[in-house]
Amino acid sequence: VKNVRLREPKPALKEAHRAATLEDLTVDIPLSTSDYYLWQWSKLIESAQFKPRNGADPKAAQELYQLAASEPRLDQGSDELLERSAFTAQMAGQIKAAHPKLAPLVTSAGYKQLLGAIDRLEKQVEENDQLWEELEDEWNTLVKTEVYPVWKKAFEAGHDLGLSELEGRLEAQLFGKHEGELEHDFGWWGTITDISIMTLSVKTIRAPKEAEALSEYLATRNERIRRWLIAYDPAKAVLVGRLEQIEKAQAQLNDESDLLQKQHGLLRRLAIYRAIGAAWLVLERLDDQKALSDVKALLACEDAKL
């Protein structure tokens, strides 16, 4: 914190919200109160239960809605609606600049195409998550059956493992037993990782130097065990290599999923914003004074000066 103003503040709530929306291209869906209200209308209009209050043909209204939601920028409607649609187009430009691969979807995809792309991205993330879990299961099995038993046996036999006195105490206290067999001083049960974190938390207050040493050891423990394992039994190099392959594959999956989730969130944001504009246009065409009055009131609140 440098106590330096980053930029001039916006004069009104609406302007501040929109500026933050353009700047923060995350997976979040920034919605004002009026946005949320119109989003609920969009869901109703899309549903089979939609019946206009004025008795108009619902199918015609829904067709108008689909057409409007497919437009990157509306050219019909009230001044407030056109302003909102222009902001959606501005946000789409920001998304395209930040993620060029999304440009075809952002600039020319229809509403249904946009929703289809969102579904595909979601499925890709789910597939990545499933593959990551399968790799995690393999990693855990190899470590629990091929790595830790050898390390534990050598530790209990008093072999020189290159541990300091403090690190040796940590192994004896926390890693000398199987996961699930450890009971904390306060009667709290948990995994080895949970208990090591709890121990570090307590030591940070009572013995900060020990806590720092333990933290460094925990961060390097797996790597140190692997180096020792290869030195102890060179044939284990294949096993260690497989563990490293798994970790690399998981890291790649994490990076890929992070990007997919960001793309999913931004496309979903764009789809919702287009749906909001389309619902607003439908309400204007239907001359639904009750809904439009609600929108007007909410816009007035959002235009409050800061």
Side-chain angles (χ1 to χ4, degrees):
V1 179
K2 299 180 180 179
N3 196 30
V4 177
R5 177 178 287 182
L6 297 177
R7 62 183 67 81
E8 288 299 313
K10 298 297 181 181
L13 185 61
K14 180 177 74 174
E15 293 177 50
H17 180 267
R18 289 187 176 181
T21 299
L22 293 174
E23 184 174 309
D24 188 31
L25 292 179
T26 63
V27 297
D28 296 327
I29 313 294
L31 295 172
S32 65
T33 310
S34 62
D35 289 337
Y36 185 79
Y37 178 79
L38 287 163
W39 184 27
Q40 302 313 302
W41 266 106
S42 75
K43 295 176 184 177
L44 177 60
I45 293 171
E46 289 185 21
S47 73
Q49 290 74 37
F50 176 59
K51 293 181 180 180
R53 278 192 274 232
N54 65 357
D57 180 10
K59 289 186 178 180
Q62 288 170 331
E63 288 175 2
L64 172 62
Y65 170 85
Q66 290 290 336
L67 289 172
S70 295
E71 290 294 330
R73 182 171 179 175
L74 297 175
D75 58 3
Q76 52 185 317
S78 63
D79 290 342
E80 293 84 0
L81 170 53
L82 292 176
E83 180 195 19
R84 182 65 178 77
S85 182
F87 171 71
T88 298
Q90 184 182 4
M91 186 196 66
Q94 296 283 90
I95 294 174
K96 184 172 67 173
H99 297 270
K101 289 185 177 180
L102 296 180
L105 289 168
V106 170
T107 57
S108 58
Y111 184 59
K112 290 184 177 180
Q113 289 176 298
L114 204 55
L115 296 180
I118 292 169
D119 287 342
R120 287 193 297 274
L121 286 170
E122 190 170 335
K123 289 178 182 177
Q124 282 182 269
V125 171
E126 290 174 355
E127 290 171 0
N128 279 8
D129 288 346
Q130 182 177 349
L131 180 54
W132 192 97
E133 289 296 338
E134 291 172 359
L135 290 170
E136 183 71 1
D137 288 342
E138 181 185 353
W139 190 94
N140 284 328
T141 298
L142 290 174
V143 167
K144 289 179 180 179
T145 61
E146 303 291 336
V147 178
Y148 282 168
V150 180
W151 172 260
K152 181 184 177 185
K153 184 177 180 180
F155 174 76
E156 292 176 340
H159 293 185
D160 181 9
L161 303 179
L163 302 178
S164 68
E165 180 184 354
L166 179 61
E167 293 166 350
R169 291 206 311 269
L170 180 65
E171 287 287 340
Q173 293 170 6
L174 300 181
F175 301 105
K177 296 183 180 181
H178 290 294
E179 187 172 311
E181 296 177 359
L182 295 168
E183 184 175 10
H184 193 268
D185 294 339
F186 304 111
W188 178 78
W189 288 79
T191 65
I192 289 175
T193 302
D194 292 334
I195 295 177
S196 63
I197 291 172
M198 178 67 78
T199 301
L200 283 173
S201 299
V202 174
K203 284 186 177 293
T204 299
I205 299 172
R206 297 179 180 175
K209 289 186 178 180
E210 284 193 12
E212 184 177 357
L214 291 177
S215 178
E216 291 177 357
Y217 175 62
L218 287 172
T220 60
R221 181 174 181 262
N222 279 338
E223 181 58 32
R224 291 172 66 174
I225 291 175
R226 290 177 194 182
R227 289 202 303 268
W228 171 86
L229 189 64
I230 293 175
Y232 176 78
D233 181 1
K236 295 290 187 181
V238 176
L239 168 64
V240 171
R242 178 54 187 158
L243 291 173
E244 291 173 349
Q245 287 177 346
I246 292 173
E247 290 165 354
K248 184 178 180 180
Q250 285 183 311
Q252 291 174 341
L253 285 170
N254 284 337
D255 290 341
E256 183 179 334
S257 290
D258 285 345
L259 178 59
L260 292 172
Q261 286 173 337
K262 181 168 285 188
Q263 292 175 340
H264 174 273
L266 291 174
L267 290 181
R268 185 166 177 264
R269 181 193 294 195
L270 181 59
I272 289 174
Y273 278 26
R274 287 189 182 175
I276 287 169
W280 195 344
L281 180 62
V282 169
L283 292 173
E284 287 187 350
R285 286 289 185 88
L286 294 174
D287 195 27
D288 191 322
Q289 289 301 315
K290 174 63 174 66
L292 294 174
S293 177
D294 290 341
V295 172
K296 185 176 179 179
L298 292 171
L299 291 175
C301 291
E302 293 165 11
D303 212 24
K305 302 301 178 182
L306 295 175

